Amino acid sequence: MPRKIKIAPSILAADFLNLGREIEKIQNAGADMIHFDIMDAHFVPNLSLGVAMLEQIRNITTMYLDVHLMMDNPEKYLKTFADAGADGITIHLEIHPDPDAILDHIGHLGKDRGLSINPDMPVEKLAGKVKNVDRLLIMSVFPGFGGQSFIPESLGRLAQARALLDREGRAEAELQIDGGVSGKNAADIIRAGADCLVAGTGFFRADNPAAAVAAMRGQNA
Ligand code: DX5
Ligand code: ZN
């Protein structure tokens, strides 16, 4: 059976003055989850969303909330994000080179455990480190800002990551890609092995969000 492809709009690109409507847009477009980017102006050169916004979104939707922590010391905030309504929490290998303990902590909070690498981190650095992951996120831009161009080498990195998950007995873990994703490059991304596509501008700047989701899945709307 072909893998189900999940689409995760990143609300970093949403209209914050109409956030309730933007969440409805995600639901009505047939997307699978909401991607929530947390930036600390330290690990990445930008500040973004906070816990209060996550809580408010949790109050208006039952959709899966996928929290991507681009911040130093994420271990101090796991419970805060878990309590605020995250369903999955992704941390960066750049911050936690030995991520087992923090991934265990996320698991003990009852949340899906995500691990991410930036475009300049060799995929092989993940060897031996994915046994505790539910989600592996390959960044296809340097994190910090939405609207950047997809780095083409990310396709090869996805294929390497897929092989690594298979080799390490984690074939069922989700392989996620984040940055510069749109209907134009989605087919190549899926072919390379991704099964969850995060899209900020590719979703929120689309004239027809449902068609954008379908196009990213490789379907007609
Ligand atoms: C990048 C963030 C992404 C971002 C993607 O730092 O992690 O989730 O919102 O935005 P687009 O799809 O516009 O590249
Ligand atoms: Zn993200």
Side-chain angles (χ1 to χ4, degrees):
M1 220 174 80
R3 284 171 299 128
K4 157 117 171 83
I5 305 300
K6 295 186 196 147
I7 306 298
S10 163
I11 56 160
L12 192 62
D15 173 2
F16 297 144
L17 293 181
N18 291 294
L19 199 52
R21 241 181 285 155
E22 298 286 69
I23 300 298
E24 279 172 26
K25 193 191 278 183
I26 294 174
Q27 289 172 167
N28 295 338
D32 301 277
M33 54 172 93
I34 300 174
H35 186 81
F36 198 88
D37 285 309
I38 302 284
M39 302 179 183
D40 67 348
H42 198 248
F43 176 59
V44 290
N46 198 5
L47 274 171
S48 63
L49 320 172
V51 178
M53 191 187 272
L54 183 67
E55 265 168 358
Q56 292 196 15
I57 292 175
R58 177 78 294 163
N59 286 337
I60 61 163
T61 185
T62 57
M63 277 189 89
Y64 187 103
L65 300 181
D66 170 36
V67 175
H68 176 194
L69 295 181
M70 288 161 279
M71 61 187 284
D72 287 350
N73 305 311
E75 67 286 352
K76 291 187 184 164
Y77 297 93
L78 297 178
K79 188 164 184 326
T80 304
F81 285 106
D83 290 348
D87 293 298
I89 301 177
T90 296
I91 52 110
H92 270 259
L93 186 67
E94 287 82 3
I95 304 281
H96 282 278
D98 292 309
D100 275 353
I102 184 164
L103 291 169
D104 274 348
H105 187 173
I106 295 170
H108 287 138
L109 291 166
K111 309 301 172 186
D112 289 337
R113 304 156 298 176
L115 181 63
S116 179
I117 55 169
N118 283 343
D120 57 357
M121 172 72 77
V123 173
E124 278 310 313
K125 295 270 187 207
L126 290 163
K129 301 188 176 176
V130 296
K131 72 173 193 301
N132 282 334
V133 303
D134 300 300
R135 169 174 296 121
L136 182 59
L137 166 56
I138 304 296
M139 288 304 301
S140 40
V141 298
F142 283 91
F145 301 91
Q148 303 182 71
S149 298
F150 184 86
I151 299 173
E153 288 74 21
S154 309
L155 293 176
R157 290 164 56 73
L158 276 176
Q160 275 182 280
R162 174 55 70 194
L164 184 127
L165 286 173
D166 289 351
R167 195 169 76 221
E168 304 221 351
R170 293 299 298 144
E172 74 276 19
E174 180 184 285
L175 182 57
Q176 192 178 61
I177 185 90
D178 183 2
V181 176
S182 71
K184 292 201 178 88
N185 54 19
D188 288 341
I189 287 169
I190 293 167
R191 208 172 302 121
D195 51 14
C196 182
L197 280 54
V198 175
T201 48
F203 177 83
F204 284 104
R205 301 289 176 273
D207 293 334
N208 180 341
V213 167
M216 284 187 256
R217 284 212 184 93
Q219 301 162 339
N220 296 317

